[in-house]
Amino acid sequence: MTQEDRKDKILPIILDNIKDDVDEEKRILGLELLDRVADHLGKDICQNYMMYELVSLQDDPIYRVRKETVLRIVNLSKVLGKELFVWIILPVFKKLSQDQIWGVRRAAVEVLP
């Protein structure tokens, strides 16, 4: 697939799932999809579209979505690079590592290495 195909065909599927305000399972599925294809989407698409969606999920009212967010943060971080990781993703990780729900904090510890 070309980069244009990825942007036009794969990206909308992921974004539709992540932005679903009603179904938490779809948000989790969107995070799983992002985790699996982030390196194929490339830095530009991840930076321009996916990074801020991930940031928005740090405040999701459903703890399972926040837990999945912290679990799926690693591959996106690798694609975005060190600078964006330090300034954008690391604060998300820090916030989720101090979440009120123990399972979210535990997930943060699991992905730390």
Side-chain angles (χ1 to χ4, degrees):
M1 292 183 100
T2 67
Q3 191 69 6
E4 194 65 31
D5 286 341
R6 292 177 187 143
K7 183 179 176 184
D8 293 339
K9 295 180 177 146
I10 295 175
L11 182 62
I13 295 169
I14 297 171
L15 288 174
D16 285 346
N17 283 307
I18 287 178
K19 290 181 177 185
D20 190 312
D21 290 335
V22 178
D23 190 356
E24 71 189 68
E25 291 297 326
K26 286 184 84 175
R27 292 193 301 276
I28 291 171
L29 175 63
L31 286 165
E32 291 174 10
L33 290 171
L34 173 60
D35 184 47
R36 293 177 190 256
V37 301
D39 56 335
H40 298 292
L41 292 174
K43 183 177 180 175
D44 290 338
I45 291 176
C46 287
Q47 181 178 347
N48 294 329
Y49 299 97
M50 305 312 305
M51 181 173 62
Y52 296 108
E53 295 304 324
L54 183 85
V55 169
S56 72
L57 291 176
Q58 72 180 332
D59 296 318
D60 197 275
I62 307 297
Y63 86 90
R64 290 180 53 228
V65 175
R66 295 191 312 271
K67 178 180 175 184
E68 198 67 32
T69 300
V70 77
L71 288 173
R72 304 300 179 165
I73 212 167
V74 175
N75 282 340
L76 184 64
S77 298
K78 290 177 184 176
V79 173
L80 292 173
K82 185 178 179 181
E83 187 174 325
L84 290 173
F85 171 75
V86 169
W87 293 107
I88 306 292
I89 303 299
L90 189 57
V92 172
F93 178 82
K94 284 182 179 180
K95 181 176 182 175
L96 291 171
S97 70
Q98 298 171 357
D99 196 271
Q100 64 183 0
I101 303 295
W102 176 82
V104 178
R105 294 190 310 267
R106 180 175 178 227
V109 170
E110 289 174 355
V111 300
L112 188 58

